[in-house]
Amino acid sequence: MPDTKTDLIDRAETIDAIKRLGDGYEPQGYRTALRDAVEAIEQVDALHAQNEDNPPLTLEELRGMSNTDLVWVVFPELPPEDNCWYRAKKLYDLYSHAHYGKTWLAYRRKPEGGGE
């Protein structure tokens, strides 16, 4: 995964270069393989971007979710294996709102590294 903005720029330039190479004189199978490689790289980058944009939910966001919505709950003071998925509505009704952000946090997705 890219570590800096420069890495992202270099990565984008590399992807563009691969795309241009694939449009040249190479056999069809080679172009298809290059397009597949570019698509895979772009998918990994998109997943990485999703993980970066996964702040803890606000209580207002949590309250607005239904019981079919799942959220990843992190209990900072407990062992990492206690972090788990909960139904949003049940979680909102079950845990103390006064302790939110202190003893528990909820996320739309499991944070990168598991929220440990």
Side-chain angles (χ1 to χ4, degrees):
M1 302 274 170
D3 292 327
T4 66
K5 193 171 186 175
T6 304
D7 291 339
L8 287 172
I9 292 167
D10 291 343
R11 191 178 189 105
E13 289 172 359
T14 301
I15 290 170
D16 288 341
I18 291 171
K19 286 178 181 177
R20 285 192 306 275
L21 177 64
D23 290 336
Y25 58 86
E26 292 80 13
Q28 179 63 34
Y30 183 68
R31 285 194 298 270
T32 301
L34 287 173
R35 284 191 198 109
D36 289 348
V38 168
E39 185 177 326
I41 291 168
E42 290 171 340
Q43 287 175 357
V44 167
D45 287 346
L47 287 172
H48 183 65
Q50 280 181 348
N51 280 332
E52 288 179 350
D53 189 28
N54 188 29
L57 294 164
T58 65
L59 281 174
E60 185 67 28
E61 290 171 320
L62 197 55
R63 180 181 18 230
M65 299 176 102
S66 75
N67 201 38
T68 59
D69 292 320
L70 293 174
V71 293
W72 182 256
V73 181
V74 173
F75 302 96
E77 297 175 359
L78 297 178
E81 57 269 13
D82 288 345
N83 299 338
C84 59
W85 292 104
Y86 272 88
R87 296 208 180 273
K89 182 70 173 150
K90 186 174 218 163
L91 175 72
Y92 182 80
D93 294 340
L94 186 65
Y95 284 98
S96 168
H97 303 163
H99 294 134
Y100 187 71
K102 299 172 189 143
T103 61
W104 65 281
L105 289 164
Y107 294 85
R108 291 186 193 281
R109 293 177 304 281
K110 185 176 179 179
E112 200 167 297
E116 298 154 358

